[in-house]
Amino acid sequence: MKTNTETSKRPSHYLYAVTKRGDSSSWTRIGAAWMNNDGKGFSIKLDFLPINGADIVMREPKDEGDAK
């Protein structure tokens, strides 16, 4: 089965490591996801893997220059 990574270079979502510090949170983009053609799953590419217990959050891009 082909995934959208083979047909589209733009990810449909970005992955972030979210670390909470008191009342604030630090968001670091750690990867991207592409929806599979059947719409039932995602192909994920991680550039980094958090080992500090951070939550991983997947979000749709806000716009082309999304940096969160």
Side-chain angles (χ1 to χ4, degrees), residues 3 6-8 12 15 17 21-22 25-27 35 47 49-50 56 60:
T3 63
E6 297 175 27
T7 58
S8 172
S12 60
L15 294 140
R21 294 184 182 111
S25 297
S26 172
W27 289 61
M35 186 174 287
D47 297 317
L49 184 61
I56 297 177
E60 291 180 345

